[in-house]
Amino acid sequence: MIRVKDLEKSFAGARGEVRALRGVSFEVGKGELFTLLGPSGCGKTTTLRCIAGLEQPLTGEILINERAVFNAADGTFVPPERRRIGMVFQSYAIWPHMTVAENVEYPLAGEGSRKERNIKVDEILQRLGLGALADRLAPNLSGGQQQRVALARALVAQPEILLLDEPLSNLDAKLREQMRFELKSLQESFGITTVYVTHDQEEALALSDRVGLMHEGALLEVGAPADLYVHPAHKITADFLGTANFIPAQVQCSGNRPGDEMLLESPIGSFAARRSVEWQPGTAALLFFRPENVEILDGNGPAVSETNHGAGVVTRVTFLGNSADVILRTGATAVRVRAHPARIPAVGKTVSFSVAPSACIVFPA
Ligand code: ATP
C-alpha cells in the first residue's frame, strides 16, 4: 500500500548540512499500522512529511497504492492535497473559533453539496463517538475529545492512508494509555493503512502491527513488536525497546549453527546464550538480557559454577507498584532485575539468580 524507497534528505543547519534521511526504505501493507520509532532527531517526522508531500526528498521514490507520488529520477511530485492522505499532528491544529462539526467539515470545503457534506460529517462524528458534541466549540473539549476531533477531521475525506505524528503526546499518562487502545481499535475498524511516528517505545509496542526502529536517519531494524523486543538484532534496538542489561563478556565457544547455544565468560559467571552469528573464541562481546528474565532464586540456589547462574548483593530496590526495580552487584558489575512485588529482596542481602540461555543474546562489544 505504501512503498518508500531510498529516501535521502538534507537540511541546511547552523553548523552546516544536516543529513536527516540517509536512504530510508520500507513498505506498509494494506490496513497495517506501521510505526517509525526512535529518539528525537532520528528522522521520523521528516520521513512522514516526505510521504505527505510536505518535504521533497533529494533521492528515492514513494508509492501510495501503486501510484508514484514522488520519484526523484523522473521528477514526479504529487502535491500534498492530491495524495489522499489524512494527517494528525501532535498539536491537533484544531480551529478554536469553530465548533466540532465545523472543524471536521473543514477538509471537505467546496466538495459536493452542503447536505452531502453534513451527511459525511455526521457519519464520522457518530463513528468516533462525537455525535453529542457536534455543536460544542472545539476548545471546550477534553484533551481526549480534541484528539478524536483531529482524527475525525483526518478521516472525513476518506483518505487512502493515515499519517499520525506523536498524536498522543499532549495527553496525560492515563489518558494516553486509554487513547492508545481507542486509536488502535478505530484504526482497525476503518481498516486504514497507517504510518505512526513516536519516540515512546511502550506506545509503539502496544499499537503497531510492525515497528521500524530509526537511528541517525536510517531504518535499523523492522519487525513485529514482540520479535523486536525479544530477539533484537542490534544493540541499539535492545537498548531502545525497554530496559536492558549489557554485561561485558568474552566468547568461549560459538555453536556451529544459528540457534545453537554459545558460551561466554563474564564477571558475573559463565553464560550460555543463543547464537546468532558465528563468533571467534576470545572475542570481546556484550551479553544482553532483560531485567524481567532474571530470576531471583530462593536460598543460595545452584552452585555458582553452573552456567547461567550468578550471585550478587542487593544494592538498591525501587518499588514500582506492580513490580520492583532491583540492582544486584557482583564486584564492579551491576545487574538490573525486575522483581515480583511479593518477592522483593532486602537491601544488603546476597542472592543467587539465573537467566535462561534462551533469554540471553550476544552483541559485538
Ligand atoms: P522528534 O521526535 O524530535 O520530532 P524526529 O526523529 O522526528 O525527531 P526529524 O524532525 O525528522 O526527527 O529531524 C531529523 C533531523 O533533521 C534533525 O537533526 C533535525 O534537527 C533536522 N531537521 C528537521 N527539519 C528541519 C528543518 N526544517 N530545517 C533544518 N533541520 C531540520
Side-chain angles (χ1 to χ4, degrees):
M1 186 72 192
I2 305 175
R3 267 196 279 168
V4 171
K5 287 189 206 162
D6 295 328
L7 296 192
E8 294 202 16
K9 173 78 188 165
S10 296
F11 293 105
R15 275 176 280 148
E17 196 183 55
V18 178
R19 286 188 68 198
L21 305 182
R22 302 163 185 252
V24 172
S25 302
F26 61 91
E27 294 190 4
V28 187
K30 193 167 170 48
E32 190 178 27
L33 194 156
F34 182 86
T35 296
L36 294 169
L37 173 71
S40 183
C42 69
K44 309 178 294 290
T45 296
T46 304
T47 306
L48 206 69
R49 287 173 60 82
C50 288
I51 299 173
L54 301 170
E55 300 285 357
Q56 188 155 352
L58 299 170
T59 65
E61 193 182 358
I62 302 171
L63 292 107
I64 298 174
N65 208 5
E66 302 298 326
R67 176 172 70 122
V69 292
F70 170 73
N71 186 325
D74 66 14
T76 303
F77 183 84
V78 175
E81 64 278 9
R82 296 208 352 251
R83 292 197 182 190
R84 298 194 44 83
I85 279 172
M87 269 196 96
V88 178
F89 299 97
Q90 180 177 352
S91 59
Y92 316 148
I94 291 172
W95 299 106
H97 59 289
M98 289 185 185
T99 64
V100 166
E102 286 164 349
N103 261 288
V104 173
E105 192 191 334
Y106 193 78
L108 300 177
E111 224 179 79
S113 67
R114 163 146 286 283
K115 192 173 165 207
E116 282 166 341
R117 290 201 296 276
N118 283 346
I119 291 172
K120 280 190 180 170
V121 171
D122 279 349
E123 198 180 296
I124 198 88
L125 289 180
Q126 294 304 333
R127 276 191 82 174
L128 269 79
L130 291 165
L133 303 173
D135 298 323
R136 184 99 57 96
L137 273 179
N140 302 341
L141 298 172
S142 71
Q145 289 164 340
Q146 290 190 19
Q147 222 281 318
R148 252 181 285 155
V149 172
L151 206 54
R153 194 181 48 186
L155 291 168
V156 72
Q158 297 176 317
E160 286 180 19
I161 63 170
L162 184 62
L163 305 178
L164 304 172
D165 193 351
E166 308 259 7
L168 305 182
S169 57
N170 275 351
L171 307 176
D172 66 53
K174 199 148 189 142
L175 190 56
R176 198 158 63 222
E177 209 183 313
Q178 183 191 326
M179 286 302 291
R180 258 181 222 165
F181 296 109
E182 212 169 282
L183 198 63
K184 178 70 184 159
S185 69
L186 276 171
Q187 187 266 339
E188 279 174 354
S189 82
F190 279 84
I192 187 159
T193 309
T194 303
V195 183
Y196 192 97
V197 157
T198 184
H199 64 271
D200 181 328
Q201 23 102 359
E202 261 188 44
E203 202 166 289
L205 294 176
L207 273 170
S208 318
D209 295 309
R210 282 184 312 140
V211 176
L213 195 102
M214 283 196 81
H215 177 68
E216 296 181 350
L219 266 177
L220 187 66
E221 204 173 337
V222 176
D227 287 342
L228 283 193
Y229 186 85
V230 178
H231 307 300
H234 296 270
K235 177 179 179 269
I236 292 167
T237 313
D239 204 12
F240 197 79
L241 283 179
T243 6
N245 285 295
F246 293 111
I247 312 289
Q250 199 179 49
V251 176
Q252 295 299 297
C253 68
S254 174
N256 291 323
R257 287 185 306 273
D260 281 359
E261 280 184 9
M262 55 186 288
L263 194 67
L264 297 113
E265 201 52 57
S266 84
I268 58 168
S270 299
F271 279 76
R274 260 197 337 230
R275 174 190 184 281
S276 47
V277 293
E278 188 174 347
W279 291 82
Q280 287 304 315
T283 310
L286 284 176
L287 170 67
F288 157 77
F289 52 84
R290 296 219 181 266
E292 65 267 27
N293 293 126
V294 181
E295 193 186 350
I296 294 180
L297 304 167
D298 291 327
N300 288 325
V304 175
S305 59
E306 277 186 35
T307 66
N308 293 64
H309 289 96
V313 181
V314 179
T315 55
R316 198 188 75 192
V317 171
T318 310
F319 183 65
L320 300 171
N322 58 3
S323 66
D325 188 45
V326 176
I327 304 291
L328 302 178
R329 226 164 232 295
T330 304
T333 308
V335 176
R336 200 158 169 183
V337 181
R338 180 62 43 125
H340 189 278
R343 298 180 58 199
I344 301 173
V347 173
K349 198 177 160 197
T350 298
V351 295
S352 304
F353 61 90
S354 70
V355 190
S358 58
C360 294
I361 296 178
V362 186
F363 294 118

